[in-house]
């Protein structure tokens, strides 16, 4: 299938191929939808097997950003960038600055940030060439590492899921299994233990798991068995695709609420499997939107308290998703997709002048620019 056919089926507005042979930069920027606001999404640096794999990834990820921002109620659209190649060999100031020039050329339709293998220090180089960038280090007046805000949002969403499914406001003695104790998982364990939950942890990094288990008096489990732990909540905070044909039959938890992206291996099939088992699934892009909320605040002039308070709003957003799912007898992932699609459609239908302020400049909606 040709790129135009795929992009039009998935609803993309624009796909840009960027090449700078001097620095070795080969990047693709996909702008999925700017009906609500400028397309924001991180830049991923990955050694793709071929160009087709990179195109598929950037199209899928950028579409996901439109949904994430729309459900979170943010004034942003969805976009994403990928840089092709081995980050260990290719990373340089020259390459990131070349990427920054391409981003600047898009004149604010796309705003970039960190993603896999792109750290705040790399983003600082990008920021030398473009103002359309977020996630620069806090020492450069940015919002810094988004992980603590993501973890707060996940904690808040987990509380909403417990309230909805277990009918309790308290996490005292609620049993939670956290898979992956990296930046987000560890911070989540901290908040859960403070709230009195009984926590089980696992990580393929045995040392990291042991330290977290000792610090928070959590039980340790095998990382490849933790999905089947005898708990109330399973919190995937490691890799995507963890909810699949093999794992779902073993899950004993009544709630899934974790940070990992793309948790359902196949959205439709595995979303239905969870629903049939009576497991309440918190859609990943809804519960893990804290990082995006944080970055969005950086664009307005960063105020950490406001960002944290908005991340707590994921509680109500998730309750709305659960209620919609129950009222319409549809899986929760479908309910959140509907909410996003309605918001995008409403924005598209508005004839009123839509403007967005970014870095003290007014960004005008594409139909009026
Ligand atoms: P991280 O790399 O800091 O931590 C991930 C941890 O998972 C690591 O400790 C790793 O050893 C562990 N891990 C990997 N495979 C595992 C397995 N099979 N079983 C158990 N543990 C395993 O990443 P992070 O920033 O904490 O993000 C965690 C997840 O949340 C990722 O899927 C990420 O895409 C998603 N997410 C993160 C943010 C953020 O702000 N950091 C925002 C949105 C979504």
């Amino acid at each position: 299938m040709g790129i135009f056919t795929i992009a039009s089926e998935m609803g993309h507005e624009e796909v840009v191929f960027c090449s700078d042979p001097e620095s070795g930069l080969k990047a693709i920027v996909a702008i999925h939808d700017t009906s609500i606001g400028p397309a924001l999404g991180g830049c991923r640096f990955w050694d793709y097997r071929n160009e087709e794999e990179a195109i598929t990834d950037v199209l899928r990820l950028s579409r996901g950003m439109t949904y994430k921002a729309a459900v979170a109620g943010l004034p942003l659209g969805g976009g994403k960038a990928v840089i092709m190649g081995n980050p260990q060999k290719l990373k340089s100031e020259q390459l990131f600055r070349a990427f920054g020039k391409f981003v600047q050329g898009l004149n604010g339709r796309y705003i970039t940030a960190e993603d896999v293998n792109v750290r705040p220090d790399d983003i600082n180089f990008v920021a030398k060439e473009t103002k359309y960038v977020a996630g620069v280090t806090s020492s450069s007046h940015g919002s810094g590492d988004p992980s603590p805000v993501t973890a707060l949002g996940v904690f808040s969403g987990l509380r909403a899921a417990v309230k909805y499914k277990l009918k309790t406001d308290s996490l005292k003695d609620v049993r939670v299994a956290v898979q992956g104790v990296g930046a987000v998982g560890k911070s989540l364990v901290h908040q859960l233990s403070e709230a009195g939950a009984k926590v089980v942890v696992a990580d393929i990094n045995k040392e990291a798991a042991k330290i977290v288990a000792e610090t928070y008096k959590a039980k340790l489990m095998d990382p490849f068995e933790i999905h089947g732990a005898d708990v109330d909540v399973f919190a995937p905070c490691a890799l995507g695709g963890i909810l699949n044909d093999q794992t779902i039959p073993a899950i004993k938890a009544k709630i899934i609420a974790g940070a990992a992206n793309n948790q359902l291996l196949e959205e439709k099939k595995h979303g239905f499997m969870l629903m049939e088992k009576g497991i309440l699934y918190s859609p990943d892009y809804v519960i893990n939107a804290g990082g995006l909320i944080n970055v969005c605040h950086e664009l307005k002039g960063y105020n950490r308290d406001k960002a944290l308070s908005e991340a707590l709003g994921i509680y109500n957003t998730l309750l709305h998703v659960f209620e919609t799912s129950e009222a319409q007898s549809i899986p929760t992932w479908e309910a959140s997709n509907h909410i996003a699609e309605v918001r995008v459609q409403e924005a598209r239908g508005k004839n009123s002048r839509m403007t967005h302020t970014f870095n003290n400049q007014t960004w005008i909606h594409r139909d009026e620019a």
Side-chain angles (χ1 to χ4, degrees), residues 146-147 150 179-180 182-184 202-205 223-224 237-239 259-261 288:
S147 308
T150 301
Q179 181 188 43
V184 179
D203 198 297
I204 48 167
N205 179 340
F224 300 101
C237 295
L239 295 181
N261 276 315
N288 72 16

Side-chain angles (χ1 to χ4, degrees), residues 30-307:
I31 297 176
H32 178 254
D33 196 288
T34 58
S35 307
I36 296 179
L40 189 145
C43 171
R44 178 166 295 193
F45 207 142
W46 197 254
D47 204 358
Y48 293 100
R49 278 175 299 180
N50 50 48
E51 289 170 7
E52 200 182 344
E53 194 180 62
I55 293 168
T56 305
D57 205 29
V58 77
L59 292 179
R60 190 181 55 85
L61 291 167
S62 55
R63 185 171 177 266
M65 291 307 294
T66 299
Y67 282 72
K68 188 186 270 209
V71 173
L74 299 173
L76 295 170
K80 203 89 182 180
V82 295
I83 297 178
M84 296 173 64
N86 182 337
Q88 259 113 40
K89 288 189 189 150
L90 277 177
K91 268 194 181 188
S92 69
E93 173 169 354
Q94 194 190 2
L95 178 138
F96 283 112
R97 291 184 72 154
F99 175 66
K101 284 181 192 157
F102 282 109
V103 172
Q104 180 64 20
L106 291 166
N107 208 22
R109 279 175 50 69
Y110 168 66
I111 301 167
T112 198
E114 293 102 344
D115 198 76
V116 178
N117 291 326
V118 176
R119 315 304 309 161
D121 285 344
D122 305 323
I123 285 296
N124 285 353
F125 293 137
V126 177
K128 288 186 176 178
E129 302 293 344
T130 180
K131 58 187 176 222
Y132 303 115
V133 60
V136 291
T137 54
S138 39
S139 57
S140 306
H141 311 291
S143 59
D145 179 11
S147 308
V149 190
T150 301
L152 181 69
V154 173
F155 177 70
S156 191
L158 189 150
R159 281 187 46 237
V162 165
K163 169 79 177 166
Y164 199 80
K165 188 77 179 174
L166 307 181
K167 314 284 177 223
T168 170
D169 287 317
S170 168
L171 290 183
K172 177 119 184 51
D173 294 332
V174 171
R175 299 162 305 156
V176 186
V178 180
Q179 181 188 43
V181 288
V184 179
K186 185 178 165 189
S187 177
L188 178 64
V189 171
H190 173 81
Q191 293 171 73
L192 288 168
S193 70
E194 284 206 327
K198 288 190 171 154
V199 184
V200 183
V201 297
D203 198 297
I204 48 167
N205 179 340
K206 289 197 173 110
E207 193 52 31
K210 193 166 160 260
I211 291 171
V212 171
E214 280 171 9
T215 309
Y216 299 104
K217 301 193 173 31
K219 215 175 116 188
L220 256 181
M221 245 186 116
D222 182 311
F224 300 101
E225 287 177 6
I226 191 162
H227 58 272
D230 189 10
V231 290
D232 303 299
V233 184
F234 173 44
C237 295
L239 295 181
I242 182 65
L243 305 173
N244 55 47
D245 286 347
Q246 280 72 45
T247 56
I248 293 174
I251 294 175
K252 296 192 188 78
K254 288 272 163 281
I255 294 166
I256 312 254
N261 276 315
N262 304 319
Q263 292 172 27
L264 297 166
L265 185 63
E266 290 174 49
E267 194 174 60
K268 201 169 182 177
K269 178 181 181 190
H270 298 118
F272 273 113
M273 273 173 81
L274 290 173
M275 188 169 147
E276 276 167 12
K277 271 195 86 173
I279 297 172
L280 183 68
Y281 168 64
S282 312
D284 45 17
Y285 68 80
V286 182
I287 194 167
N288 72 16
L292 182 62
I293 290 169
N294 197 47
V295 159
C296 185
H297 274 269
E298 183 179 328
L299 303 180
K300 298 182 209 166
Y302 192 54
N303 177 323
R304 190 159 182 87
D305 289 343
K306 280 191 182 163

Side-chain angles (χ1 to χ4, degrees), residues 307-320:
L308 293 174
S309 139
E310 212 171 291
L312 291 173
I314 287 175
Y315 184 98
N316 286 330
T317 306
L318 259 185
L319 283 184
H320 179 49

